[in-house]
Amino acid sequence: MKRRTFVKTAAAAALGALSQPLPSLAADVEIELSPGNAGPVISPHIYGHFIEHLGGVIYDGVWVGRNSSIPNVDGIRKQFVDDMKRIGAPNLRWPGGCFADGYHWRDGIGKASARPRTYNYWQRSMPPGMDATETNQFGIQEFMHLCRTVGAEPYLAANVGSGSPREFHEWVQYCNAPAGTVSLAAERAANGDPEPYRVRYWGVGNESWGCGGAMKPEEYATLYRRFVTQFPAYTEPFLVATGPRGHSADGDIGWTTGFFGAMRGAAPPNGFSVHYYTDFRPTTVKAGDFTPAEWYEVFLRGVRLEKVIEDHWREMGKFDSIHRTKLVVDEWGVWYPPGSEIAPGYILSETITLRDALHTSMTFDIFNRHADKIAMANVAQTINCIHSLFLAHGADFVRTPVYYVFDMYRSHMGGRVVPVKNPLPSMKVPALAGTGSLAAISCSASIRDNRLTVTFTNPSLDASLQARIRLTGGATPIEARGQVLTHQNMRATNTFAKPEEVKPMAHPVKVVGDAIELSLVKQSVTLIDCRIA
Ligand code: AHR
């Protein structure tokens, strides 16, 4: 089918103006991949996580306590540990978020019963009459045990907003100093961990333009330098500076210009954080109940992340042409207005539907395509908050549709990006503003050894498509298998009562000569794993 014909047909189908199915031709979409020309490695850290002391994230979500009747590993919910292992969670960002800039790490060490009860930033967002006092039962030791049990690297956010360089450096010493050196290493050993934690990833503040201190970029750059200059380098650090609010209407380029302008002559950070929420808080778009226009709107807004990445990268290049600083998208997800919380006080927990699963796969395709720029990304947040992979309440636990996308995309981790050579068609879709233009297919590909991984998202509510992946440059497909995540109902979700409503199924894939053929069913995410010669 010619590209123009496809665009017209898909647009009409998406708008509901066409009742007949798409003509059954050999392929509606053909992509060309040349695994021999693979590009940069997709850092496994792109598939990273984030948990914060907020609502039901830590207490109940992650930490049930050692004496709980809920199965646990030293107080950590066992099901959470098992599922995080299953998806190969590469890292965990903690303790916030906004919470981080009010957190004093010493409150969370030592005998649990002697730890103080402290104020939590999120108190202000709790329903009237509900308390959010921080009990500090989950501190650095519990967090490190979680990371070790899961096999994830820790990524700690330091308190710049209400802390000091000294408090930061002492935390680094407590975590990383070898036993038998400074007193803080002896204190860690006395608390049960003689071996250093060897934390490598350190965020120097969080959202310093907002809850992290309401600073101007130049003010933050000054503080950043003070916080890192005497960093106790027991373990070679990867320091992440606070970057822009990428979902601002103007993309917040001014933050990037201001920060790097003020950093001229200083050692650049290893990472520069970008937060990008597909932010529906100021709208009436709901998490669980929505129209077709609201289905597409999530994708139209979600894929703007690609431009945000490109714009900030270009801006950073003006100050550092060899790009020593990489992007760290350490908060991303779809943020809906309140109304679908799993329980009072579990603030920011949302119903997660098939729509959010497709948003996730499109986001991962963007990250994969920009693997040269992105060192790490962290979903906000892993459990009981915004774009969750899991919802938990007491003994109830469920994997959301988003979890399954993390599972399906595992095989991209550590692969080298294979660029899609030909352009993909676009379609007109209903949207909040009337109509919008959306890529008819989202796609990314990677290669590791002789395994080719291709992921597709078909966001259309009407049109299934025939796809052909043609391998060029001498590569031949030997055998392939597919998996699809979809549901007849665009609002489908997994609940405590029906936990397996949305989950992946095997999907037929055919190897024909130098090509792989399959159908991309409407409203679906598809994974193809192929052995090539
Ligand atoms: O993820 C919830 C909050 O969103 C985080 O605490 C903050 O960094 C962001 O504004």
Side-chain angles (χ1 to χ4, degrees), residues 104-301:
H104 300 283
W105 66 271
R106 290 201 71 94
D107 294 340
I109 60 168
K111 203 163 169 240
S113 58
R115 296 182 193 175
R117 293 170 67 86
T118 49
Y119 180 77
N120 181 322
Y121 167 87
W122 289 102
Q123 178 64 55
R124 68 190 70 192
S125 307
M126 290 293 275
M130 288 199 80
D131 186 24
T133 296
E134 174 56 49
T135 61
N136 287 300
Q137 296 304 288
F138 189 87
I140 181 68
Q141 184 179 43
E142 291 74 19
F143 174 69
M144 285 309 308
H145 290 183
L146 166 63
C147 289
R148 278 200 201 133
T149 315
V150 165
E153 270 216 52
Y155 171 23
L156 296 178
N159 179 348
V160 170
S162 65
S164 64
R166 176 177 179 167
E167 183 183 7
F168 175 37
H169 298 162
E170 288 181 348
W171 200 14
V172 178
Q173 292 172 53
Y174 184 85
C175 290
N176 291 351
T181 60
V182 294
S183 306
L184 284 161
E187 193 174 352
R188 183 191 65 233
N191 286 333
D193 284 328
E195 280 306 303
Y197 298 144
R198 298 189 184 88
V199 178
R200 191 168 161 245
Y201 293 98
W202 293 93
V204 184
N206 167 75
E207 297 195 348
S208 307
W209 35 261
C211 62
M215 288 177 242
K216 303 265 179 288
E218 297 77 11
E219 292 168 337
Y220 172 69
T222 304
L223 266 192
Y224 174 85
R225 291 194 304 268
R226 284 189 53 218
F227 268 68
V228 305
T229 302
Q230 297 236 349
F231 184 91
Y234 296 104
T235 297
E236 185 67 32
F238 188 99
L239 298 169
V240 182
T242 293
R245 183 179 190 268
H247 49 288
S248 301
D250 65 354
D252 205 9
I253 279 289
W255 178 271
T256 299
T257 317
F259 174 76
F260 283 101
M263 286 288 290
R264 277 185 210 278
N270 306 90
F272 188 55
S273 134
V274 178
H275 287 183
Y276 187 84
Y277 284 103
T278 305
D279 189 3
F280 286 100
R281 281 172 294 172
T283 73
T284 54
V285 174
K286 294 199 186 82
D289 184 20
F290 47 86
T291 63
E294 291 168 344
W295 161 274
Y296 288 113
E297 189 70 26
V298 164
F299 311 137
L300 288 165
R301 294 190 189 195

Side-chain angles (χ1 to χ4, degrees), residues 50 52 54 97-98 122 206-207 275 277 331 335 380-381 386:
F50 168 36
E52 176 171 10
L54 179 172
C98 293
W122 289 102
N206 167 75
E207 297 195 348
H275 287 183
Y277 284 103
E331 290 188 28
W335 197 333
Q381 300 186 10
I386 313 180

Side-chain angles (χ1 to χ4, degrees), residues 3 132 197 216 283 310 398 455 461 527:
R3 183 164 178 242
Y197 298 144
K216 303 265 179 288
T283 73
E310 288 166 349
V398 66
T455 40
L461 289 171
L527 160 75

Side-chain angles (χ1 to χ4, degrees), residues 332-476:
W332 67 268
V334 190
W335 197 333
Y336 299 104
S340 68
E341 294 81 359
I342 54 170
Y346 285 50
I347 50 170
L348 310 191
S349 62
E350 297 175 351
T351 297
I352 302 291
T353 66
L354 181 67
R355 175 176 62 172
D356 305 302
L358 269 69
H359 173 283
T360 307
S361 55
M362 290 183 189
T363 302
F364 284 157
D365 288 339
I366 294 172
F367 289 158
N368 288 347
R369 289 198 293 266
H370 293 279
D372 58 327
K373 309 177 183 66
I374 304 176
M376 183 190 279
N378 309 79
V379 66
Q381 300 186 10
T382 306
I383 185 165
N384 283 353
C385 183
I386 313 180
H387 204 87
S388 316
L389 284 78
F390 311 105
L391 295 173
H393 186 220
D396 290 330
F397 184 92
V398 66
R399 301 167 176 153
T400 72
V402 164
Y403 165 83
Y404 290 108
V405 180
F406 273 76
D407 194 22
M408 290 168 80
Y409 272 66
R410 267 195 83 164
S411 28
H412 279 306
M413 287 183 180
R416 289 171 65 211
V417 191
V418 180
V420 176
K421 281 196 176 165
N422 43 332
L424 292 170
S426 62
M427 61 178 177
K428 287 256 170 299
V429 294
L432 290 189
T435 59
S437 175
L438 183 67
I441 293 294
S442 166
C443 173
S444 65
S446 66
I447 181 94
R448 196 171 41 184
D449 305 324
N450 62 344
R451 312 294 310 194
L452 177 70
T453 299
V454 188
T455 40
F456 285 109
T457 302
N458 177 0
S460 172
L461 289 171
D462 303 279
S464 293
L465 302 169
Q466 286 307 311
R468 180 184 297 132
I469 305 164
R470 212 154 57 75
L471 301 192
T472 57
T476 317

Side-chain angles (χ1 to χ4, degrees), residues 39-72:
V41 170
I42 298 171
S43 166
H45 286 296
I46 281 176
Y47 295 89
H49 292 272
F50 168 36
I51 50 172
E52 176 171 10
H53 290 247
L54 179 172
V57 177
I58 298 294
Y59 300 110
D60 198 19
V62 174
W63 180 256
V64 293
R66 293 189 180 86
N67 300 325
S68 173
S69 57
I70 298 166
N72 66 83

Side-chain angles (χ1 to χ4, degrees), residues 1-13 18 20-31 422-427 440-441 463-468:
M1 181 188 272
K2 289 214 171 55
R3 183 164 178 242
R4 195 170 302 142
T5 324
F6 171 80
V7 172
K8 242 170 88 194
T9 315
L18 193 83
Q20 24 344 11
L22 282 169
S24 144
L25 292 177
D28 303 312
V29 180
E30 178 161 316
I31 65 161
N422 43 332
L424 292 170
S426 62
M427 61 178 177
I441 293 294
S464 293
L465 302 169
Q466 286 307 311
R468 180 184 297 132

